[in-house]
Amino acid sequence: LLQTAKKGTPQELVSHLVSRQPGSFSEKELVQLTGLSPEEVKAVVSELEGKGEIVSFDGKLYPTQHFEKLKEEVLELLKEHH
């Protein structure tokens, strides 16, 4: 974690954490893990959401690809049961 923090941008750090553990972190938890200020985390999350890289759902952050896969699985289950 510290190596990524030293070498990467805040965007890369947040993106890395969210990708490694989808749905594990809220913005508040990212503040604690990264050492970034709440304002920095909020700005980074907004930027990554704007780029379509991550999505916030129920207070937790997910990589967009992971969230899309879950959505497809749920839709498929609904089709099977209706």
Side-chain angles (χ1 to χ4, degrees), residues 30-48:
L30 287 175
V31 169
Q32 295 168 344
L33 284 170
T34 63
L36 298 170
S37 72
E39 295 79 17
E40 287 175 304
V41 169
K42 188 170 203 59
V44 168
V45 167
S46 292
E47 180 181 336
L48 292 174

Side-chain angles (χ1 to χ4, degrees), residues 48-68:
L48 292 174
E49 284 178 324
K51 290 180 176 179
E53 293 181 25
I54 64 172
V55 64
S56 178
F57 179 74
D58 201 26
K60 298 291 184 176
L61 300 168
Y62 298 84
T64 302
Q65 291 176 330
H66 180 84
F67 192 75
E68 288 298 318

Side-chain angles (χ1 to χ4, degrees), residues 6-21:
K6 289 179 183 176
K7 294 181 181 179
T9 65
Q11 291 82 357
E12 290 169 333
L13 178 58
V14 169
S15 183
H16 175 77
L17 288 170
V18 171
S19 294
R20 294 279 304 215
Q21 297 184 10

